[in-house]
Amino acid sequence: MWRKAVLVALLALGMGYLYHTDPELPARVLNYVSESLPQMEPSDSSEPRPPTLEEAIARAWQTLITAPARRWARVAVGVNACVDVVVSGVGLLQALALEPGSGRDHGVLHSKEDLKEAFIHYMGKGAAAERFFSDKEVFQRIARAAAEYPGAQLYVGGNAALIGQKLASNPELVVLLCGPVGPKLHEMLDEQIIVPPESLQEMDEFHLILEYKSGEQWGSSRAPQASRFILSHDVSNGEMSTLETFVASLDEFQPDLVVLSGLHMMEGMGRELWEERLKEAVVAISDVRNEVPIHLELASMTDRDYMNLILQEVLPIVNSIGLNEQELLFLTQSGGGPHADLTSWDGIPDVGRVSDILLWVLEQQGRADPESEADLTRIHFHTLAYHILATVDGHWGNQEAAVAAGARVASSQACGLQAVDVTKVVLKAPLSFYSSFSEPRKSLTVDPTRPVTVWRRGNVSFHLTPVLVCKQPLRTVGLGDAISAEGLLFSEVTPQPEL
């Protein structure tokens, strides 16, 4: 310490002398010294650096995420499966000789121009979307261009297959996957996954995943965050052709849990088909044994009548659903629920509004009322910055661990890693929020050392945890499926008393 004092005194004397010879020289010397002083600090400082918020949350997750007392042993997953061709969205559209322009949403794509407009529309929002391409020949030309595009990659695709793959990474779990499985997809699936012979088909179904990065620009459109636009001409998945095969296989497989997805694929097949097919789907789902919980994974849709039919007819006969912020908003818009007048989320979805909609779904289509005959008791909501698990009290356990596990896998998988790297992620979630958008509402905070905030509204408990958002995501496809799968792995059903 005395050495620093002597150094400062000498510098002061020296600069006093120099001032008379060169009045500007002391200022230049001071600038140099101020830049150099930090380097003169002792390198073996014993004071520990306090952890960043990201570090505190990642450490706390390690403690919070504990296995449930009762684990699943056999899980059946169906019914949409395909091969994903992942490619740069802007790069592919340029390769198709398309010029940037204005964005516009299309419920069904009929041409390359429709594709361009829908892609720009969602890229500008930074939102994920999925659309059916009606023209088989044009789609095949686009698919060929995508497969030949430099850097294009092939992956397991389809919500059911992706959830199955994630579940199969647990060596203690036996997974049955039912869906249209072609030779390429069968080759890529985990060896632990059982595929019924009736699900195998001669040709693969291909889905094109047009990805874009955060800040990527095309013409006047700029992506506020990384996401993707999905298109396909997929009749097998579109008609849910393997649904009955899936349900029939459950008697022999005897699962502890059933995971269902693919309802969104029917939307592009036209109203006449989905009206009839959804009735058949309800009958098929109702045939699953009552003691086996069913999780339904939702996905992007545009037809409000179709979504409302799913809300009224399907949600009450499943036990759990998984969905993101776009799907949640469309659900309330279709059913006339809370905040249905909201056209889109403004940035990070408001926690209070999300909480209102989740409560409405569980009260209207679920068993929030103990007198209700509905089965829905759990909703796993995920958005970029945070996740919420909303559950009817007395039906599910280990939900702190489940919601934290879902957030952790979102952080690691987006960065292409097996574990969270705190140098590659950033906290974007609000650290204070309200339990509801309207009164009565409670002011709540996130404690980074215990990063699951819990509150109750009536008979429903809410568990919220932040997500450590990957700064440079490598792949966004399948994140929602991985989140739901991981959340289910750490969840357990509470046995209900016999009536």
Side-chain angles (χ1 to χ4, degrees):
M1 192 68 190
W2 65 268
R3 288 175 182 165
K4 282 188 183 178
V6 171
L7 175 63
V8 170
L10 288 171
L11 283 169
L13 286 169
M15 283 194 285
Y17 170 76
L18 290 168
Y19 181 77
H20 293 285
T21 57
D22 183 355
E24 294 184 4
L25 184 60
R28 294 200 297 272
V29 172
L30 276 172
N31 285 339
Y32 173 77
V33 171
S34 66
E35 290 171 4
S36 304
L37 276 176
Q39 300 171 16
M40 296 163 64
E41 291 293 328
S43 58
D44 59 344
S45 174
S46 58
E47 290 187 20
R49 177 182 63 81
T52 64
L53 292 176
E54 288 82 2
E55 287 171 335
I57 289 169
R59 287 177 192 172
W61 279 344
Q62 295 298 104
T63 306
L64 275 174
I65 301 172
T66 55
R70 289 179 301 277
R71 303 187 189 192
W72 318 108
R74 303 171 73 79
V75 181
V77 188
V79 290
N80 61 326
C82 64
V83 174
D84 280 345
V85 182
V86 182
V87 67
S88 161
V90 172
L92 176 62
L93 294 180
Q94 289 174 330
L96 294 170
L98 292 166
E99 297 290 334
S102 58
R104 180 186 166 202
D105 195 11
H106 294 273
V108 176
L109 307 179
H110 301 289
S111 65
K112 290 194 294 183
E113 196 67 22
D114 285 359
L115 167 60
K116 180 192 79 172
E117 290 177 350
F119 176 83
I120 291 172
H121 174 79
Y122 284 99
M123 179 183 172
K125 293 174 176 288
E130 185 166 351
R131 295 291 179 267
F132 181 79
F133 201 101
S134 64
D135 191 315
K136 181 180 178 180
E137 289 185 9
V138 174
F139 176 78
Q140 286 177 339
R141 287 199 293 271
I142 296 171
R144 199 156 38 244
E148 293 170 357
Y149 188 82
Q153 295 173 301
L154 269 59
Y155 294 99
V156 170
N159 307 86
L162 285 164
I163 291 172
Q165 282 284 86
K166 189 65 184 174
L167 293 172
S169 65
N170 184 327
E172 298 172 9
L173 204 58
V174 180
V175 178
L176 173 84
L177 172 65
C178 194
V181 178
K184 185 63 182 176
L185 176 58
H186 202 195
E187 174 190 314
M188 293 192 291
L189 288 173
D190 190 289
E191 290 180 0
Q192 278 186 224
I193 294 178
I194 299 168
V195 180
E198 298 84 359
S199 284
L200 298 173
Q201 59 181 42
E202 291 181 4
M203 298 285 290
D204 284 284
E205 297 288 356
F206 288 93
H207 288 206
L208 308 187
I209 318 296
L210 278 55
E211 292 197 321
Y212 49 85
K213 298 174 183 176
S214 178
E216 187 169 359
Q217 191 142 357
W218 193 39
S220 60
S221 298
R222 185 176 181 275
Q225 62 192 35
S227 196
R228 76 282 178 187
F229 185 88
I230 305 174
L231 67 147
S232 66
H233 177 88
D234 183 347
V235 177
S236 296
N237 284 303
E239 294 177 349
M240 292 188 78
S241 58
T242 57
L243 178 61
E244 284 78 9
T245 300
F246 177 53
V247 174
S249 68
L250 301 182
D251 285 339
E252 183 180 345
F253 184 67
Q254 292 290 298
D256 306 313
L257 171 69
V258 169
V259 180
L260 178 66
S261 64
L263 290 178
H264 63 288
M265 295 297 300
M266 290 200 289
E267 184 184 49
M269 305 306 290
R271 187 184 188 100
E272 190 175 335
L273 182 140
W274 60 247
E275 275 189 339
E276 188 60 35
R277 196 74 183 103
L278 200 62
K279 291 176 188 173
E280 295 167 355
V282 168
V283 172
I285 296 166
S286 301
D287 284 343
V288 179
R289 289 182 296 121
N290 288 337
E291 60 269 27
V292 180
I294 303 171
H295 172 85
L296 173 66
E297 191 68 15
L298 292 174
S300 176
M301 286 178 262
T302 60
D303 189 308
R304 292 194 180 189
D305 290 341
Y306 184 52
M307 178 59 105
N308 190 47
L309 203 56
I310 290 172
L311 176 71
Q312 303 294 335
E313 301 294 332
V314 182
L315 263 54
I317 62 172
V318 300
N319 305 86
S320 167
I321 61 171
L323 76 177
N324 67 18
E325 76 278 10
Q326 304 297 329
E327 294 139 20
L328 183 73
L329 184 58
F330 193 59
L331 199 62
T332 195
Q333 289 170 342
S334 303
H339 315 298
D341 57 339
L342 200 65
T343 54
S344 63
W345 297 110
D346 183 15
I348 296 170
D350 176 74
V351 175
R353 282 192 171 102
V354 169
S355 175
D356 291 343
I357 302 171
L358 294 175
L359 181 66
W360 168 74
V361 175
L362 288 171
E363 285 182 339
Q364 297 297 312
Q365 313 302 333
R367 201 182 280 187
D369 179 356
E371 300 299 313
S372 170
E373 294 184 358
D375 295 317
L376 183 64
T377 51
R378 177 182 185 271
I379 304 176
H380 192 167
F381 168 82
H382 50 88
T383 186
L384 181 74
Y386 65 87
H387 296 172
I388 296 177
L389 260 178
T391 52
V392 177
D393 293 341
H395 290 268
W396 295 85
N398 209 42
Q399 293 304 278
E400 270 199 22
V403 73
R408 183 175 65 177
V409 82
S411 300
S412 58
Q413 186 166 308
C415 287
L417 302 169
Q418 294 299 311
V420 178
D421 182 341
V422 292
T423 67
K424 296 183 177 180
V425 294
V426 62
L427 180 67
K428 292 190 175 184
L431 294 181
S432 60
F433 52 89
Y434 290 102
S435 60
S436 170
F437 186 72
S438 55
E439 300 296 342
R441 62 182 186 169
K442 186 178 179 182
S443 179
L444 298 161
T445 58
V446 173
D447 176 1
T449 64
R450 185 79 186 183
V452 176
T453 304
V454 184
W455 69 97
R456 295 183 73 232
R457 297 179 67 180
N459 201 25
V460 176
S461 292
F462 296 81
H463 294 76
L464 176 147
T465 194
V467 174
L468 300 178
V469 181
C470 185
K471 295 175 188 175
Q472 298 291 332
L474 297 180
R475 187 165 181 250
T476 60
V477 175
L479 267 188
D481 303 308
I483 291 162
S484 287
E486 198 78 354
L488 287 167
L489 272 176
F490 285 86
S491 295
E492 62 176 305
V493 169
T494 303
Q496 299 301 301
E498 294 284 341
L499 297 176

